[in-house]
Amino acid sequence: MNINTYFKGGMLLLLAACSRKDDAIAQKFNVDESVSVVEWRGSAPTHYHTGSFKVTGSFQTNGTKQVTGGDFTIPIASIENFDLTGVPKTELLDHLKSPAFFNLALHPTATFHITKVEPGSNNKATVTGDFTMLGQKHPLQIPAKIIVEKDRLYVEGTVNLNRLTWGMNSYSDPAGTLYILPEVVITLKIQGTPSK
C-alpha cells in the first residue's frame, strides 16, 4: 500500500469516527411553550371538568435519541378550563386557585424532576420523577411516547394522579354535599426545540 492510499484510508476512518462521535453528542431541548400543555380532567360522580396548564422546562437527551433527564415547572396561575364559559368558568378557576385546591398564593408552581427513563419499544418509555405540588414531593411514574428528532422532541403521556397524596384533601368525603374523585387524569402534550 502506498502512502497516498494509506492516507486516504486513514482520513475515511477518521471522518467516520468523527461522524459517529457527532451523532452521540448529548443534546438539550427546551420546552416550546407556545405549543406545549399539561391537560387535566377532574371528576365528580355525576360530572367532570377539563382544562390545561402551561409548562416550561427542558429535556436532556443522549446520542441514541433517548431522553435521560429533565426539569419542568407548571405555573398554577396559567390554569385554564375548557368546558365552561362566563361566570361559572371564572368561579371554577378562582376556586381551583384557592386554598381548597392549589393554594396559588402559597404554592404558585408545581414541578417535575426526571430521575429515570426506561425506554421500551415503538418510542414508548416509562418516565419516573419527583413531582412537587402544594409543598409536597412524591415519586410519579408516567407512561409516555417520546420521539427525538434532530430539531424537535415530542412527548405525550397520560397518568392518573391521586391528589390526596399531595395533600389536596378538599371534597374527598363520598358522603359530603360535593364529592370529587381523588384521581385527576393528567395528559402531557409537550414539544421541545434544541437549546442554542
Side-chain angles (χ1 to χ4, degrees), residues 4 17 19 38 47 78 81 90-91 114 128 146 159 169 181 193:
N4 289 331
S19 176
V38 176
H47 66 280
S78 70
N81 166 260
T90 300
E91 289 179 344
I114 294 176
T128 302
I146 303 175
V159 63
N169 301 316
L181 300 178
T193 55

Side-chain angles (χ1 to χ4, degrees), residues 112 125-129 140-144 157-159 186 188:
F112 185 66
T126 299
V127 180
T128 302
L140 184 65
Q141 275 195 342
I142 305 173
T158 299
V159 63
I186 302 296
L188 312 178

Side-chain angles (χ1 to χ4, degrees), residues 104-195:
L104 172 63
L106 289 181
H107 304 287
T109 62
T111 62
F112 185 66
H113 169 70
I114 294 176
T115 57
K116 182 171 62 173
V117 179
E118 298 173 276
S121 58
N122 298 320
N123 297 315
K124 294 181 180 179
T126 299
V127 180
T128 302
D130 294 324
F131 183 61
T132 301
M133 181 173 68
L134 294 172
Q136 296 192 32
K137 180 172 68 175
H138 299 285
L140 184 65
Q141 275 195 342
I142 305 173
K145 183 175 183 179
I146 303 175
I147 300 174
V148 181
E149 299 176 344
K150 183 178 180 181
D151 58 355
R152 181 70 62 169
L153 182 148
Y154 303 86
V155 177
E156 186 166 336
T158 299
V159 63
N160 291 332
L161 185 148
N162 189 324
R163 63 189 179 91
L164 305 183
T165 302
W166 283 265
M168 190 182 288
N169 301 316
S170 297
Y171 309 103
S172 57
D173 181 1
T177 305
L178 174 61
Y179 173 54
I180 299 175
L181 300 178
E183 288 195 334
V184 180
V185 181
I186 302 296
T187 300
L188 312 178
K189 296 180 179 180
I190 299 177
Q191 295 188 37
T193 55
S195 177

Side-chain angles (χ1 to χ4, degrees), residues 14-168:
L14 179 62
L15 289 172
C18 288
S19 176
R20 286 194 297 271
K21 184 177 180 182
D22 289 343
D23 289 343
I25 292 176
Q27 193 171 12
K28 178 181 177 182
F29 287 81
N30 292 325
V31 171
D32 185 342
E33 300 173 36
S34 66
V35 293
S36 299
V37 293
V38 176
E39 296 183 349
W40 57 268
R41 173 174 169 156
S43 302
T46 60
H47 66 280
Y48 63 85
H49 293 296
T50 60
S52 69
F53 294 94
K54 294 181 179 180
V55 58
T56 64
S58 63
F59 294 90
Q60 296 290 339
T61 68
N62 61 15
T64 59
K65 297 185 176 181
Q66 292 179 350
V67 170
T68 57
D71 285 280
F72 311 93
T73 298
I74 299 170
I76 300 303
S78 70
I79 190 170
E80 288 288 349
N81 166 260
F82 297 155
D83 57 277
L84 297 174
T85 59
V87 173
K89 177 175 182 175
T90 300
E91 289 179 344
L92 173 65
L93 292 176
D94 287 345
H95 198 193
L96 291 174
K97 295 173 186 177
S98 77
F101 290 97
F102 289 101
N103 203 353
L104 172 63
L106 289 181
H107 304 287
T109 62
T111 62
F112 185 66
H113 169 70
I114 294 176
T115 57
K116 182 171 62 173
V117 179
E118 298 173 276
S121 58
N122 298 320
N123 297 315
K124 294 181 180 179
T126 299
V127 180
T128 302
D130 294 324
F131 183 61
T132 301
M133 181 173 68
L134 294 172
Q136 296 192 32
K137 180 172 68 175
H138 299 285
L140 184 65
Q141 275 195 342
I142 305 173
K145 183 175 183 179
I146 303 175
I147 300 174
V148 181
E149 299 176 344
K150 183 178 180 181
D151 58 355
R152 181 70 62 169
L153 182 148
Y154 303 86
V155 177
E156 186 166 336
T158 299
V159 63
N160 291 332
L161 185 148
N162 189 324
R163 63 189 179 91
L164 305 183
T165 302
W166 283 265
M168 190 182 288

